[in-house]
Amino acid sequence: MTSLLKSSPGRRRGGDLESGKSENPDSDSDTFYIPGKNASIERLQQWRKAALVLNASRRFRYTLDLKKEQETMEMRKKIRSHAHALLAANRFMDMGRDQGGEKPTASATPAGDFGITPEQLVIMSKDHNNGSLQQYGGPQGLSNLLKSNPEKGISGDDDDLLNRKTIYGSNTYPRKKGKGFLRFLWDACHDLTLIILMVAAVASLALGIKTEGIKEGWYDGGSIAFAVILVIVVTAVSDYKQSLQFQNLNDEKRNIHLEVIRGGRRVEISIYDIVVGDVIPLNIGNQVPADGVLISGHSLALDESSMTGESKIVNKDANKDPFLMSGCKVADGNGVMLVTGVGVNTEWGLLMASISEDNGEETPLQVRLNGVATFIGSIGLAVAAAVLVILLTRYFTGHTKDVHGGPQFIKGKTKIGHVVDDVIKVVTVAVCFLSNHLSLVKSLHAKSFISRNTNTWLLLQVTIVVVAVPEGLPLAVTLTLAYSMRKMMADKALVRRLSACETMGSATTICSDKTGTLTLNQMTVVESYAGGKKTDTAQLPATITSLVVEGISQNTTGSIFVPEGGGELELSGSPTEKAILGWGIKLGMNFETTRSQSSILHAFPFNSEKKRGGVAVKTADGEVHIHWKGASEIVLASCRSYIDENGNVAPMTEDKALFFKNGIEEMAGRTLRCVALAFRTFEAEKVPTGEELSKWVLPEDDLILLAIVGIKDPCRPGVKDSVQLCQNAGVKVRMVTGDNIQTARAIALECGILTSDAEASEPTLIEGKSFRAMTDAERDKISGKISVMGRSSPNDKLLLVQSLRRQGHVVAVTGDGTNDAPALHEADIGLAMGIAGTEVAKESSDIIILDDNFASVVKVVRWGRSVYANIQKFIQFQLTVNVAALIINVVAAISSGDVPLTAVQLLWVNLIMDTLGALALATEPPTDHLMGRPPVGRKEPLITNIMWRNLLIQAIYQVSVLLTLNFRGVSILGLEHEVPEHATRVKNTIIFNAFVLCQAFNEFNARKPDEKNIFKGVIKNRLFMGIIAITLVLQVIIVEFLGKFASTTKLDWKQWLICVAIGVISWPLALVGKFIPVPAAPLSNKLSALKCWGKKKKSSGEGSL
């Protein structure tokens, strides 16, 4: 119950454990509370043990299988140990060959149209046998054997691809099939109460046939069995559909897209379409998609922890250590690889095929609802037991009357044979609940029909348990999450972790990137400064043009493809790279020709910490040029000279440096991204050779400025409205960018993150280095005020996230780079970019924004709030049914010994309440109304004061009306002149019918707990309307045509009108109720205060003693 009533310690006060205030997120005393990320195994086991569960296989289906998780970890250890052993053996053999001069004797054996067999490739790759690779002619010779080209790749036509897949296999691995429908059907049968009901149904069937004959006696038992089977089938269908949704989403998560070189051009394909012989460019953050060898690379370093378990970064070299393992991540540098093994022919493929992937994951809301279900279920069990005891007591003390008004039980007047029959039937059903009463029952005599009444009572108690224990409550979370995940895919958001859906509804701040998220990421060079002045491409001196073109063509990770038949050039690479390549083309650059005129000696790939990247090239005349490209003010600070308008090198005077700085600020003030190009010469004889070359730190001082370009990246249409929508919803949007502080300021004003120039000062607008230099205490003082952070490094973003979480914020962070991974992991919700994001960033994230659009981030917030709101709607609806059904049956049973709602009827109500109710209410789409509320605290009470008001009004109304009908219904309905048995049957049918119709009409009320217009948007929700229609049609069929099964009788049109009127009254009643004010403070606060007062009083009393 603690999770039901416990209020949030304050999402903005730092009391929320998940906010980072506590170092141990599992230290919370609430059993049914887990952190949104990285919950310990002990904590997960704790809540499972505390939960009251009737069907464990169904309740825990979508939670983490702890046993399977342990098996997976053990399997990973074994395969990693195998990888370790192979690496150690390879090093040992390499050392032996180096010392003994042993030469490998491997020779390639043709396979089909290719010059080497798949077995030889697998052995070479797994053994990391560099000797065999050299025997095959190195990467160049191996590519020839595979009919590939190190620069142009394979041809990539359909026949070639099919041939390669036939001989070398495809890049897939066999996966264990998911559960089929029959398995879900079998799981649904494991519900303890349903098993007991089936046993009771068989007993009732046997007894009915024995006492009344097969023609009449099979109805009671058969109707119970049919109702149970219906519940089982509907449950299985619902669970099976959810399973298919999760399976499709998981397939989408695994489907990585990457660039390969085919036919000389870069094309994007699925990781599943990679074949042996493919040539793949690798950059920081990429995942190595298959086993292969390195053709060429610069400072390439891999994180092999996914295979070896060690976080050590391994440097790769095309000559000494060229082998790349599938599944590893590129930690630094860049390179080009040749694929030699795919699918199960790789260590990664074997690993993935050997482990059974568990997609289960419990979310905090799921666990909290298990707590609610446990509390409600405990009450239900207690009530069922109490009612059973009371009914038996009334019966055996002679207070239960038969149809003639006399006592049903008269001690000493029942035949022994009848008693034996009674005992057998009672024991069959009640052994689990009433074992302590068996001796009493055995010693009593009863009439022949007593056994059927007793059996009916026991059936009823078990059915009360079915209704009272809300198994569907935690499963409703899974249903709404599955629905939300599927719909979020259509809104360009791929959910990697279920809990992120609900956590996003609690987000109080979003730390967003600028490029590609708030802007279009469609970059074009629109201005430039070169030759000591602002200029255009036609005015550049030839000296500057040749050096700029050389730097652009060599210092890039992009490329240009020239179609053979002519046509428009195809540029590839990051948006910034493509913009600068496009500017180079305007300068007259021929990409391939320029690259062929010089060779790369060493490269320093762009680094987000240093904000620049460099390359050393050797020209045709033997000179060494070192080109740098990066953040304009940082590169400018390293320049000691520049090339003037005459093509001569001139010193960088203070006035000239100020001129360039003013130019940068002027361009940045107009939202342009500023990039500087510079170079310097270097003595050829001082260039390191051999192993020293790979460790060479490129000199970055005494540079000569070539040009500063301004790149336009327009804001996304509608981004200002999206930002405003977040601000109105209580979610503060902060921009964290590596761009110039002035560019960041201009974009922030355009997007609405900053509302005026007056705001553009510290600490609202701050530079990364200033924030970085502060202490934790100083950061905590200003972090909440920061709206824009410019020239930030990924570590600055991490520091900001940590500070905000310490202040109690629920933080969502966007990121695309490898270095963003720590911040994405640290944040409550990590949002990786699907287009610009690296695989490392995506794996560290919780949600992938497929279109990199900030508007999609806002949609995720809406869906997060919708998940929480839909669960609250379902709770309100289900608790109303729980309370009303229990009170009606309990009061009726205690007062008269008879109950108006039979077991079959309660099972039908349970079906409406659990499965159909969850489908109807848990799939409500999000509305703009949700964005008018403040964020939801993750530990705020699930049942708000508004919900308490609504459900109590409806429950009191239903109980009052239906109990009145139960006790005075015969006279009120004018049935005094009917046969008593028939009158009672009509009265009970009207009670059942009115009760079901009340629930159907109350579903409309539950849609809008805090809005007066409950019909708003209802027509658009076809699923809701369909379920209501199905419920009403089936109810008519049950009442009018299935009287024998459901213990009902046909009603005339006046009686139907009465039932409908009773149901319809719930609508105006709900409207009137919404004018009743409720206190702002949660009810739980008052209960907590009373609890504290009681403890203080107790302690003071003990002290006085």
Side-chain angles (χ1 to χ4, degrees):
M1 185 58 176
T2 50
S3 66
L4 176 66
L5 294 175
K6 188 174 181 181
S7 65
S8 172
R11 60 178 175 271
R12 299 177 186 85
R13 294 195 300 270
D16 193 335
L17 291 171
E18 286 189 64
S19 70
K21 193 73 176 175
S22 171
E23 292 185 5
N24 180 11
D26 288 349
S27 62
D28 195 286
S29 59
D30 188 354
T31 302
F32 293 101
Y33 170 78
I34 62 170
K37 283 186 175 182
N38 308 318
S40 67
I41 296 295
E42 292 74 18
R43 194 60 185 262
L44 299 180
Q45 290 172 335
Q46 183 182 2
W47 79 259
R48 282 167 167 77
K49 291 176 182 177
L52 173 66
V53 181
L54 299 179
N55 187 354
S57 62
R58 183 169 186 242
R59 177 78 73 88
F60 297 135
R61 173 174 299 130
Y62 296 110
T63 59
L64 187 66
D65 189 327
L66 300 181
K67 183 179 178 181
K68 192 182 292 183
E69 182 72 6
Q70 190 67 31
E71 292 173 355
T72 299
M73 291 172 64
E74 292 297 326
M75 181 61 69
R76 287 183 183 273
K77 286 180 182 177
K78 288 180 182 178
I79 293 182
R80 284 169 174 170
S81 299
H82 177 64
H84 273 298
L86 283 176
L87 290 173
N90 294 332
R91 293 190 186 104
F92 180 77
M93 289 187 291
D94 287 342
M95 290 174 62
R97 280 194 290 265
D98 291 341
Q99 293 176 2
E102 181 185 344
K103 300 292 182 183
T105 57
S107 59
T109 304
D113 295 336
F114 305 101
I116 187 170
T117 65
E119 292 77 17
Q120 288 177 309
L121 287 175
V122 170
I123 292 171
M124 179 192 70
S125 295
K126 287 187 177 180
D127 292 346
H128 288 207
N129 194 329
N130 203 15
S132 294
L133 177 61
Q134 297 308 317
Q135 184 72 13
Y136 300 144
Q140 177 66 55
L142 189 59
S143 66
N144 292 336
L145 292 173
L146 293 172
K147 292 192 173 182
S148 183
N149 184 293
E151 295 180 355
K152 295 187 177 181
I154 63 175
S155 63
D157 59 72
D158 293 340
D159 292 337
D160 181 40
L161 294 175
L162 180 60
N163 194 20
R164 291 176 187 275
K165 288 181 180 179
T166 302
I167 294 174
Y168 297 109
S170 59
N171 200 31
T172 57
Y173 54 87
R175 281 188 233 133
K176 295 181 180 180
K177 289 185 177 180
K179 291 181 181 178
F181 175 71
L182 293 179
R183 180 62 185 274
F184 283 98
L185 205 62
W186 177 249
D187 285 347
C189 294
H190 281 67
D191 193 309
L192 177 62
T193 49
L194 293 182
I195 292 172
I196 295 173
L197 284 171
M198 284 300 290
V199 173
V202 172
S204 180
L205 185 65
L207 186 62
I209 292 174
K210 179 182 176 182
T211 55
E212 297 184 16
I214 192 169
K215 188 175 182 181
E216 295 290 332
W218 69 276
Y219 284 115
D220 284 350
S223 60
I224 295 289
F226 177 78
V228 170
I229 291 170
L230 180 64
V231 170
I232 288 172
V233 171
V234 172
T235 299
V237 170
S238 173
D239 290 347
Y240 180 60
K241 289 187 70 176
Q242 286 182 54
S243 174
L244 291 179
Q245 289 182 18
F246 282 124
Q247 187 176 327
N248 293 335
L249 288 166
N250 285 325
D251 288 341
E252 189 66 33
K253 282 190 281 186
R254 287 188 287 260
N255 188 14
I256 299 170
H257 285 78
L258 69 162
E259 282 190 340
V260 300
I261 300 173
R262 289 181 178 174
R265 68 197 302 177
R266 294 193 183 191
V267 294
E268 186 176 282
I269 64 170
S270 166
I271 191 173
Y272 300 128
D273 294 330
I274 291 173
V275 294
V276 170
D278 263 326
V279 174
I280 302 176
L282 298 173
N283 293 301
I284 295 176
N286 290 159
Q287 175 177 311
V288 179
D291 281 1
V293 295
L294 184 63
I295 297 173
S296 63
H298 301 290
S299 306
L300 185 67
L302 297 186
D303 176 4
E304 296 184 344
S305 59
S306 58
M307 287 304 303
T308 65
E310 294 181 355
S311 56
K312 181 181 177 182
I313 303 300
V314 180
N315 294 308
K316 292 294 177 179
D317 181 86
N319 297 317
K320 292 200 169 184
D321 187 10
F323 294 99
L324 310 178
M325 287 193 292
S326 176
C328 299
K329 307 295 188 300
V330 180
D332 198 8
N334 55 57
V336 179
M337 70 173 284
L338 174 70
V339 175
T340 59
V342 294
V344 291
N345 291 328
T346 68
E347 290 285 347
W348 180 256
L350 287 174
L351 173 64
M352 299 307 292
S354 60
I355 63 177
S356 177
E357 186 174 358
D358 183 14
N359 298 317
E361 173 206 350
E362 49 257 67
T363 71
L365 190 54
Q366 254 180 328
V367 176
R368 290 179 68 192
L369 282 173
N370 270 283
V372 176
T374 297
F375 173 75
I376 297 171
S378 299
I379 293 176
L381 285 172
V383 169
V387 170
L388 179 61
V389 170
I390 291 169
L391 286 175
L392 287 174
T393 302
R394 284 179 57 88
Y395 176 78
F396 287 114
T397 55
H399 289 82
T400 304
K401 307 297 182 183
D402 60 17
V403 293
H404 302 293
Q408 284 190 348
F409 175 77
I410 303 174
K411 188 176 180 180
K413 294 187 178 182
T414 307
K415 296 180 180 179
I416 297 297
H418 291 160
V419 173
V420 172
D421 285 343
D422 297 342
V423 170
I424 291 173
K425 305 307 181 293
V426 170
V427 170
T428 302
V429 182
V431 65
C432 296
F433 297 95
L434 301 172
S435 57
N436 56 325
H437 293 287
L438 292 181
S439 57
L440 174 66
V441 177
K442 283 182 180 178
S443 64
L444 298 176
H445 296 277
K447 293 182 179 179
S448 61
F449 57 83
I450 292 179
S451 60
R452 294 195 64 195
N453 288 334
T454 308
N455 195 37
T456 301
W457 292 337
L458 292 167
L459 278 169
L460 181 62
Q461 308 323 307
V462 176
T463 309
I464 287 176
V465 173
V466 174
V467 177
V469 180
E471 287 283 285
L473 202 53
L475 295 172
V477 184
T478 309
L479 180 64
T480 190
L481 287 174
Y483 171 79
S484 301
M485 286 172 68
R486 181 166 56 87
K487 290 294 186 180
M488 285 167 74
M489 274 292 291
D491 283 341
K492 305 300 181 184
L494 172 62
V495 178
R496 297 187 72 254
R497 289 179 61 253
L498 274 178
S499 58
C501 285
E502 61 191 52
T503 307
M504 200 65 187
S506 302
T508 60
T509 185
I510 300 173
C511 298
S512 174
D513 284 339
K514 175 187 76 70
T515 306
T517 307
L518 298 171
T519 63
L520 285 169
N521 217 8
Q522 297 173 358
M523 301 190 186
T524 311
V525 174
V526 294
E527 286 187 19
S528 62
Y529 282 76
K533 61 180 182 179
K534 188 174 181 179
T535 184
D536 58 36
T537 56
Q539 298 173 333
L540 288 181
T543 305
I544 295 179
T545 301
S546 63
L547 287 169
V548 166
V549 165
E550 181 182 84
I552 290 175
S553 63
Q554 296 288 23
N555 190 17
T556 183
T557 55
S559 67
I560 299 175
F561 174 73
V562 183
E564 292 183 4
E568 191 174 345
L569 300 178
E570 296 179 15
L571 279 62
S572 62
S574 69
T576 304
E577 294 284 6
K578 288 194 286 187
I580 294 175
L581 286 173
W583 186 58
I585 291 171
K586 290 181 181 179
L587 293 173
M589 176 182 71
N590 185 308
F591 187 70
E592 293 297 334
T593 302
T594 307
R595 285 175 69 91
S596 66
Q597 290 172 353
S598 58
S599 58
I600 297 176
L601 298 174
H602 185 59
F604 177 81
F606 180 83
N607 185 293
S608 56
E609 292 287 344
K610 289 197 170 186
K611 304 291 183 188
R612 57 186 177 274
V615 64
V617 300
K618 189 173 184 178
T619 63
D621 56 9
E623 289 186 3
V624 175
H625 292 169
I626 297 174
H627 288 273
W628 286 96
K629 175 178 67 180
S632 54
E633 68 272 24
I634 294 176
V635 173
L636 179 62
S638 299
C639 293
R640 297 294 175 265
S641 52
Y642 70 100
I643 298 180
D644 62 21
E645 57 186 330
N646 298 318
N648 301 319
V649 177
M652 183 70 71
T653 63
E654 288 187 10
D655 289 342
K656 189 53 69 173
L658 183 61
F659 168 76
F660 285 122
K661 287 179 182 177
N662 290 336
I664 291 169
E665 289 186 5
E666 189 270 334
M667 287 192 292
R670 291 186 289 112
T671 73
L672 301 186
R673 166 178 276 191
C674 300
V675 176
L677 306 173
F679 96 110
R680 62 163 290 172
T681 57
F682 195 79
E683 297 85 347
E685 60 274 10
K686 291 184 179 180
V687 176
T689 57
E691 289 187 12
E692 295 299 319
L693 180 61
S694 62
K695 301 175 183 177
W696 184 27
V697 179
L698 296 180
E700 49 189 284
D701 56 348
D702 295 331
L703 301 183
I704 302 171
L705 182 66
L706 295 175
I708 299 173
V709 296
I711 302 174
K712 181 67 176 176
D713 184 15
C715 281
R716 286 185 178 274
V719 71
K720 190 168 186 177
D721 294 335
S722 298
V723 169
Q724 187 60 51
L725 190 62
C726 280
Q727 311 283 29
N728 295 340
V731 182
K732 184 175 179 62
V733 180
R734 309 170 200 269
M735 181 200 294
V736 184
T737 177
D739 266 352
N740 182 292
I741 190 76
Q742 296 303 323
T743 305
R745 171 186 165 278
I747 292 288
L749 285 168
E750 191 173 338
C751 293
I753 295 173
L754 294 177
T755 55
S756 65
D757 287 324
E759 279 191 296
S761 60
E762 281 199 17
T764 306
L765 178 69
I766 194 170
E767 202 162 1
K769 63 182 181 182
S770 302
F771 187 73
R772 193 184 317 143
M774 297 178 182
T775 64
D776 283 349
E778 290 171 336
R779 290 191 202 106
D780 291 349
K781 285 182 181 179
I782 69 161
S783 59
K785 301 175 184 177
I786 294 173
S787 293
V788 180
M789 184 183 289
R791 277 291 177 246
S792 68
S793 68
N795 191 55
D796 298 332
K797 184 185 287 188
L798 176 61
L799 292 173
L800 178 62
V801 170
Q802 291 172 335
S803 179
L804 288 170
R805 295 189 77 220
R806 284 195 296 270
Q807 301 311 302
H809 285 281
V810 180
V811 185
V813 169
T814 69
D816 52 20
T818 302
N819 292 330
D820 287 328
L824 291 170
H825 185 268
E826 178 73 18
D828 296 284
I829 314 103
L831 303 161
M833 298 298 105
I835 298 172
T838 64
E839 287 308 313
V840 172
K842 291 175 185 177
E843 286 206 358
S844 298
S845 69
D846 307 304
I847 298 173
I848 299 174
I849 305 301
L850 299 175
D851 61 354
D852 293 11
N853 193 341
F854 185 78
S856 299
V857 176
V858 179
K859 289 177 183 176
V860 172
V861 176
R862 282 162 53 97
W863 277 110
R865 295 189 175 193
S866 177
V867 167
Y868 197 88
N870 286 349
I871 294 304
Q872 287 186 313
K873 294 171 187 177
F874 182 63
I875 290 174
Q876 177 181 311
F877 171 70
Q878 189 170 50
L879 287 187
T880 303
V881 184
N882 277 117
V883 171
L886 283 175
I887 292 178
I888 290 170
N889 271 0
V890 169
V891 171
I894 292 174
S895 59
S896 65
D898 195 11
V899 290
L901 299 177
T902 66
V904 173
Q905 292 169 358
L906 279 177
L907 281 173
W908 170 233
V909 171
N910 183 64
L911 190 64
I912 296 172
M913 181 179 68
D914 266 10
T915 307
L916 296 180
L919 276 171
L921 294 172
T923 55
E924 277 281 323
T927 62
D928 291 334
H929 178 73
L930 294 172
M931 297 301 284
R933 305 174 180 173
V936 179
R938 287 169 298 182
K939 293 181 68 181
E940 287 185 2
L942 282 171
I943 305 181
T944 64
N945 290 350
I946 290 175
M947 292 168 64
W948 280 119
R949 177 196 65 194
N950 295 345
L951 75 88
L952 287 175
I953 287 173
Q954 294 297 326
I956 290 170
Y957 164 69
Q958 291 178 21
V959 168
S960 302
V961 171
L962 299 181
L963 282 181
T964 301
L965 287 176
N966 184 62
F967 295 116
R968 296 286 183 267
V970 173
S971 59
I972 292 173
L973 298 170
L975 301 173
E976 300 97 329
H977 306 295
E978 300 283 342
V979 177
E981 186 177 354
H982 177 69
T984 301
R985 196 176 182 92
V986 171
K987 178 199 71 173
N988 287 346
T989 300
I990 290 175
I991 291 173
F992 165 61
N993 199 31
F995 183 68
V996 171
L997 291 179
C998 278
Q999 311 322 317
F1001 288 113
N1002 193 39
E1003 278 191 77
F1004 287 88
N1005 294 327
R1007 286 184 67 247
K1008 305 287 183 182
D1010 56 348
E1011 294 183 59
K1012 295 181 176 64
N1013 183 5
I1014 61 174
F1015 303 108
K1016 185 178 179 181
V1018 70
I1019 303 299
K1020 296 179 181 178
N1021 192 343
R1022 295 179 181 177
L1023 182 60
F1024 179 88
M1025 295 303 295
I1027 288 173
I1028 293 294
I1030 290 171
T1031 302
L1032 294 177
V1033 169
L1034 289 177
Q1035 180 64 18
V1036 171
I1037 292 172
I1038 288 171
V1039 171
E1040 295 296 318
F1041 304 104
L1042 299 178
K1044 286 281 188 179
F1045 288 98
S1047 301
T1048 60
T1049 187
K1050 291 185 177 182
L1051 302 178
D1052 58 33
W1053 66 272
K1054 292 181 180 179
Q1055 292 163 342
W1056 268 103
L1057 281 179
I1058 292 171
C1059 296
V1060 172
I1062 292 172
V1064 168
I1065 289 174
S1066 66
W1067 285 348
L1069 190 66
L1071 179 63
V1072 172
K1074 286 171 184 174
F1075 288 97
I1076 300 174
V1078 294
L1083 178 63
S1084 55
N1085 287 3
K1086 297 183 179 180
L1087 294 177
S1088 299
L1090 287 173
K1091 188 177 180 181
C1092 293
W1093 179 78
K1095 286 182 178 179
K1096 287 180 181 178
K1097 188 174 181 181
K1098 184 179 179 181
S1099 60
S1100 62
E1102 290 174 351
S1104 62
L1105 290 172

